[in-house]
Amino acid sequence: MAIILTKQSKILVQGITGHQGRFHTRQMLAYGAQVVGGISPGKAGESVEGVPVFDTVAEAVQQTGADASIVFVPAPFAKDAAFEAMENGIRLLVMIPEHVPVQDSIDIVTRAEELGVIVIGPNTFGIISPGEQTKMGIMPNHIYRPGPVGVVARSGTLSYEIAFSLTNGGFGQTTVIGMGGDPVVGQTFISVLHQFKNDPATQAVVMVGEIGGSAEEEAAEYLKSFGKPVVAYLAGRAAPPGKRMGHAGAIIERGRGTLESKEKALTAAGASVVTMPWQVVDALREAMGSH
Amino acid sequence: MKQYEYLAKAVLREHGIPTPAGRLVRTPDQAYEAVAAIGPAALKAQVLVGGRGKAGGIRFASTPDEARTVAQAMLGMNLKGYTVEQLYAEAKLEIQQEFYISVTTDRNRKVPLVMASLKGGVEIEEVADDDIVRQWVNPRVGVLPYFGRELAARLGLTGVIAKELADLVVKLYQIYRERDAELVEINPLAVVDGHLIAADARLNLDDSALFRHPDVERIDEGSALEQKVHQIGLAYVELDGDIAIMANGAGMAMATVDAIQYFGGKPANFLDAGGGASVEPTAQALDVLVSMNPKVIFINIFGGITRCDDVAKAILQVKATRGIPVPLVVRLVGTNEQEGVRLLEEAGISAYSDMAPAAERAVMLAGEGRA
């Protein structure tokens, strides 16, 4: 079992002939994802890793019945690609590019809400469902195992670190999802937690957050009625205020977005909050054991 | 990217929002001329930090001679770590009331947010929640005059001021949208002679949208070292410790800084070498760390897209060219780990596979940490 992305998802790759698109198409296929087509204007008729290339999403959807798409085009073109996908019936959209203008992201998520499209990202590593052996994203295949833990993260490599420690600690994963490091992204901790709550295979959840915004504080309110054990690790303890820590969204602005405020809220809501990434597994063992 | 006040004011003017007469000055003589032209003025340091008034960054001059003296004292002064190089001479206002207004992005609701208050003139964080009116914008609809009239009504404004506020909100939203702003703020929005005027302005632009605005002057507010690393295209923040740090990915880099601090060490920097950086940018990043002359260098890599052998090659390249004269602690796991570890071992560098003991070792080598 998994959330959002299942084996049935038929996936397109927008920007499939680029360096990243090509490489990750190969990785996704190797993992078992059902990649059915790629988009690259002007390159219809070509194929990448055996996947047919189309000029438009419209043609690709018509020919393949695709319902999901992963976007690899450069950030200035991301809005165009996202709208092309959504207007042509794509209902799960993963936006990999970093540096998408915030106004474009606002437009994308606004339209997505109208159409009922699930947007993951922008500036995300994507989503992987180990139990279903499928993924839409750029995460390394070998670090995940099927199992009972859902993971929701804001950042990529840090989530790899934690997912790998879960795997090594004997905790496989239902689905691991990266919300993205930008200020405006398609998912919130709450929207993802809600899916994990309704997924019978997910027995516990690990949240990987960071400074900036108030997504963790909002999530804390929801956690009070969540009903499954939650372990949270947040990065940015040593971050000075007013400085962007790599992610556009990771900044303490005018006293808001601090780690203290987030940890306090999550702890009060009953989550087990750890200070360092290597403490997640023990905390999870304890939380699952006592639950 | 933050904009200087004088640039923000220029944008407001272009969109038809009233601002006081003002001039940018870089020398005491220019300050003299400015006050001769516009009369009694405030001389405001053009630095990108808040609370500059309290720190002595705003002074008044009634005459041109006084302006010259004041400018002489202010130019070159250190204001919260920034050297004052420019002043904005702006006509002094007889302010009757001070309001607050801003447009920004609500990250949770994913839509623009307009905030207004009759209690302006102080940082909005210091204003009681009950005194702030918030209205969210449907991006499909935008801000039409009715939105401004509703805002004015909820603030309890009437007459000319209400009308002017409604008009101003429409323009402020245009700036937010058309200029790709993260924040456009007028504080105080002053009442002078019964009319609204923007006494101070903040404009923060979205770095990711700068490609759409080629005319905007690029301002890097970072330190000299930060600017140097930003030019390589890497995210870098200077901290005040002495253990230099490199990691791949923003979250990992943050966690690495945290880990050094957790063991009692003092991190010198935040450096994200990229989620999938190859040999050359990694070597450049390491080069910067060596140039900082730290006590210890700590490299923490979880190879997903980043390949461990690439990282090892970068380390060996820097070691062979400029040399690494300080202790180096490397944690290296993930893609092509065996090859990376082997390359390092051949050069006499042993790599850790776990983050915790590696971070602890780096702190110990720096002679820091908990006893």
Side-chain angles (χ1 to χ4, degrees):
Chain A
M1 285 288 282
I3 64 163
I4 301 174
L5 177 66
T6 65
K7 195 81 183 174
Q8 281 70 47
S9 304
K10 288 185 172 180
I11 303 162
L12 297 180
V13 177
Q14 288 176 265
I16 194 169
T17 55
H19 175 72
Q20 257 208 328
R22 228 172 248 282
F23 177 78
H24 291 294
T25 296
R26 183 158 66 235
Q27 297 298 318
M28 285 189 278
L29 287 167
Y31 196 69
Q34 217 191 135
V35 181
V36 296
I39 318 300
S40 187
K43 301 203 171 149
E46 293 182 14
S47 77
V48 171
E49 303 291 326
V51 172
V53 178
F54 301 89
D55 280 341
T56 64
V57 173
E59 289 167 88
V61 167
Q62 202 191 9
Q63 305 263 330
T64 66
D67 54 6
S69 183
I70 178 166
V71 174
F72 282 105
V73 305
F77 312 106
K79 177 179 169 181
D80 183 32
F83 272 78
E84 185 184 359
M86 293 193 289
E87 299 305 316
N88 283 289
I90 295 298
R91 290 299 171 258
L92 171 58
L93 187 65
V94 175
M95 307 275 301
I96 301 297
E98 188 179 359
H99 304 305
V100 175
V102 172
Q103 299 291 344
D104 291 2
S105 297
I106 289 175
D107 292 346
I108 292 166
V109 301
T110 302
R111 185 63 178 146
E113 236 160 72
E114 291 170 353
L115 293 171
V117 175
I118 296 179
V119 175
I120 297 173
N123 194 7
T124 177
F125 61 92
I127 176 169
I128 183 164
S129 297
E132 303 258 330
Q133 282 293 298
T134 185
K135 74 168 196 172
M136 293 173 77
I138 59 172
M139 62 293 276
N141 295 350
H142 68 272
I143 61 177
Y144 305 93
R145 292 286 178 278
V149 180
V151 180
V152 53
R154 283 218 250 169
S155 74
T157 41
L158 185 55
S159 84
Y160 306 161
E161 171 90 31
I162 287 170
F164 197 45
S165 75
L166 292 176
T167 293
N168 288 334
F171 293 101
Q173 308 90 36
T174 48
T175 296
V176 178
I177 175 168
M179 299 196 296
D182 279 357
V184 173
V185 292
Q187 298 304 303
T188 60
F189 278 116
I190 296 176
S191 62
V192 177
L193 285 167
H194 188 69
Q195 301 257 9
F196 279 135
K197 183 180 180 177
N198 294 332
D199 176 38
T202 301
Q203 293 169 21
V205 171
V206 173
M207 287 172 64
V208 183
E210 62 191 33
I211 53 161
S214 58
E216 289 82 358
E217 287 91 332
E218 304 261 320
E221 201 48 46
Y222 180 83
L223 281 183
K224 290 176 183 165
S225 60
F226 185 60
K228 296 180 183 182
V230 172
V231 174
Y233 163 70
L234 313 178
R237 186 168 307 275
K243 295 281 190 181
R244 248 174 245 282
M245 305 301 273
H247 284 153
I251 180 167
I252 298 168
E253 277 170 310
R254 305 166 86 171
R256 299 189 56 197
T258 64
L259 206 77
E260 295 71 44
S261 151
K262 294 168 186 303
E263 289 191 340
K264 203 174 140 197
L266 290 170
T267 305
S272 165
V273 179
V274 299
T275 7
M276 289 290 128
W278 55 82
Q279 298 163 346
V280 169
V281 167
D282 285 344
L284 187 64
R285 196 167 285 131
E286 195 173 314
M288 287 179 82
S290 66
H291 211 76
Chain B
M1 190 175 75
K2 291 179 190 159
Q3 297 285 285
Y4 292 111
E5 178 197 2
Y6 78 94
L7 292 172
K9 289 262 172 74
V11 170
L12 295 186
R13 266 196 297 280
E14 275 178 53
H15 284 259
I17 294 175
T19 60
R23 273 194 197 184
L24 186 70
V25 302
R26 293 192 172 88
T27 65
D29 282 348
Q30 285 175 356
Y32 178 96
E33 287 161 26
V35 171
I38 61 179
L43 295 177
K44 302 156 104 176
Q46 296 300 290
V47 287
L48 298 171
V49 286
R52 95 200 132 150
K54 277 183 203 156
I58 300 177
R59 295 190 203 168
F60 294 93
S62 317
T63 65
D65 281 323
E66 196 183 350
R68 183 185 276 137
T69 315
V70 170
Q72 214 139 27
M74 289 180 78
L75 287 164
M77 77 186 276
N78 185 301
L79 203 69
K80 294 184 163 184
Y82 290 86
T83 304
V84 177
E85 288 166 356
Q86 310 178 108
L87 305 173
Y88 191 53
E90 193 173 62
K92 198 174 172 213
L93 301 174
E94 295 301 327
I95 295 178
Q96 296 163 303
Q97 269 182 293
E98 294 185 321
F99 301 158
Y100 171 93
I101 190 154
S102 70
V103 185
T104 183
T105 306
D106 184 322
R107 294 171 55 150
N108 294 323
R109 298 203 190 190
K110 304 164 198 174
V111 293
L113 165 66
V114 176
M115 284 199 285
S117 173
L118 299 185
K119 304 209 166 151
V122 295
E123 293 286 315
I124 190 66
E125 290 75 19
E126 291 162 27
V127 178
D129 226 34
D130 289 349
D131 291 324
I132 300 172
V133 171
R134 292 180 172 83
Q135 279 186 202
W136 285 268
V137 180
N138 179 341
R140 300 281 269 174
V141 178
V143 171
L144 295 166
Y146 80 86
F147 183 102
R149 291 194 297 272
E150 289 175 3
L151 188 72
R154 290 179 62 200
L155 286 166
L157 295 174
T158 53
V160 176
I161 296 285
K163 240 179 128 174
E164 287 183 355
L165 185 91
D167 179 59
L168 185 140
V169 183
V170 172
K171 290 167 176 167
L172 214 56
Y173 182 74
Q174 279 167 2
I175 294 171
Y176 165 81
R177 183 78 193 176
E178 289 168 17
R179 307 274 173 154
D180 279 298
E182 289 179 335
L183 168 75
V184 50
E185 178 184 82
I186 302 176
N187 186 27
L189 174 62
V191 180
V192 175
D193 292 333
H195 295 282
L196 292 177
I197 184 165
D200 197 0
R202 262 190 213 173
L203 178 62
N204 297 355
L205 303 179
D206 177 4
D207 292 346
S208 297
L210 287 176
F211 71 92
R212 287 204 275 246
H213 306 282
D215 299 343
V216 171
E217 191 191 338
R218 279 21 181 191
I219 302 164
D220 189 336
E221 54 178 302
S223 68
L225 187 60
E226 283 175 343
Q227 295 192 20
K228 191 178 151 196
V229 189
H230 293 165
Q231 273 160 17
I232 307 173
L234 299 170
Y236 182 87
V237 175
E238 204 171 321
L239 303 171
D240 50 16
D242 42 30
I243 300 175
I245 292 165
M246 176 164 85
N248 59 328
M252 264 294 265
M254 267 187 272
T256 307
V257 170
D258 293 352
I260 290 295
Q261 204 180 59
Y262 175 81
F263 287 112
K266 299 188 195 79
N269 68 288
F270 163 96
L271 171 58
D272 172 8
S278 52
V279 179
E280 206 41 51
T282 310
Q284 276 181 324
L286 180 53
D287 216 52
V288 170
L289 295 190
V290 175
S291 76
M292 288 161 52
N293 195 27
K295 277 190 189 167
V296 173
I297 294 175
F298 178 35
I299 299 176
N300 183 22
I301 301 296
F302 189 99
I305 304 311
T306 305
R307 289 167 37 171
C308 291
D309 54 329
D310 279 350
V311 174
K313 282 175 196 158
I315 294 170
L316 298 182
Q317 185 180 315
V318 174
K319 195 166 190 264
T321 50
R322 82 174 289 157
I324 304 176
V326 298
L328 176 69
V329 178
V330 183
R331 183 269 180 137
L332 199 59
V333 289
T335 308
N336 294 0
E337 176 181 332
Q338 286 185 341
E339 175 66 2
V341 169
R342 188 187 63 79
L343 285 170
L344 288 181
E345 273 173 358
E346 279 176 12
I349 303 167
S350 57
Y352 286 80
S353 57
D354 287 323
M355 181 168 165
E360 197 168 12
R361 172 81 181 157
V363 171
M364 199 209 79
L365 285 173
E368 297 165 4
R370 301 179 289 216

